[in-house]
């Protein structure tokens, strides 16, 4: 038996819940199609990272105003 696909997505905090739901649906669909796995077997976790904890070039996204 093949393992259940588990997809971890990290995004910056602040998106609308509806956008996150859409992301989960689209990722689930893409993984299901790509791996020929039943959509019911696809697991998706979304972690929202605070802008103070995500950095580019040594500066937080908060510092960069993003």
């Amino acid at each position: 038996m093949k393992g259940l696909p588990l997809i971890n997505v990290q995004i910056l905090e602040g998106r609308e819940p509806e956008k996150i739901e859409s992301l989960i649906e689209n990722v689930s669909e893409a993984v299901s199609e790509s791996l020929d796995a039943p959509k019911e077997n696809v697991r998706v976790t979304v972690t929202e990272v605070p802008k103070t904890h995500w950095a580019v070039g040594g500066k937080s996204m908060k510092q960069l105003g993003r």
Side-chain angles (χ1 to χ4, degrees):
M1 179 174 167
K2 297 176 185 174
L4 301 176
L6 172 60
I7 311 306
N8 299 299
V9 179
Q10 293 183 318
I11 60 174
L12 284 175
E13 66 182 351
R15 289 186 171 80
E16 297 293 324
E18 298 81 15
K19 291 289 188 182
I20 295 172
E21 290 290 333
S22 178
L23 172 65
I24 291 169
E25 179 65 28
N26 290 328
V27 167
S28 296
E29 187 67 37
V31 171
S32 174
E33 288 179 17
S34 297
L35 298 179
D36 293 325
K39 197 168 163 181
E40 297 76 28
N41 289 352
V42 177
R43 307 299 193 251
V44 178
T45 63
V46 177
T47 304
E48 290 188 274
V49 179
K51 293 179 181 184
T52 56
H53 290 67
W54 189 309
V56 175
K59 295 193 182 254
S60 73
M61 296 302 277
K62 184 177 179 182
Q63 289 173 311
L64 295 170
R66 296 183 186 174

